[in-house]
Amino acid sequence: MLDPDEHSVKIIVSDSVRSRQPDVPVLLITGYDASAAYTSLRLPPGMSLLSKPFNVDALGEQVRRLIKWRRARLETGTP
């Protein structure tokens, strides 16, 4: 998990990790309102943004989606 307060730096870090291991899902968590602060931010598949405050159900849903994405990639052998 990376907090994209300085989102360009954090995206670069996550991109660097994923360039070596493309099946690594990334969950970005921010304290900013995602609808206002990141409207132009386009996240690639396997990357999600969760804005605070959030509840355990929202966190669980994002984690489940990322796990599902990773399993699908591994099953299909998608590079």
Side-chain angles (χ1 to χ4, degrees):
M1 291 185 195
L2 298 170
D3 185 348
D5 285 341
E6 297 173 17
H7 69 279
S8 60
V9 172
K10 306 300 179 162
I11 298 288
I12 290 168
V13 170
S14 63
D15 285 349
S16 176
V17 169
R18 291 184 81 192
S19 71
R20 293 180 187 93
Q21 296 181 341
D23 295 324
V24 173
V26 175
L27 177 57
L28 301 169
I29 297 176
T30 181
Y32 297 104
D33 178 7
S35 64
Y38 297 100
T39 55
S40 64
L41 182 63
R42 291 185 164 237
L43 299 175
M47 189 178 286
S48 295
L49 177 65
L50 190 58
S51 183
K52 293 178 186 176
F54 56 85
N55 59 34
V56 173
D57 293 333
L59 176 60
E61 177 61 28
Q62 290 296 327
V63 170
R64 280 188 292 279
R65 285 181 186 176
L66 290 170
I67 290 171
K68 183 178 178 180
W69 170 84
R70 184 172 191 273
R71 283 185 182 151
R73 280 184 62 95
L74 293 175
E75 289 172 1
T76 62
T78 304

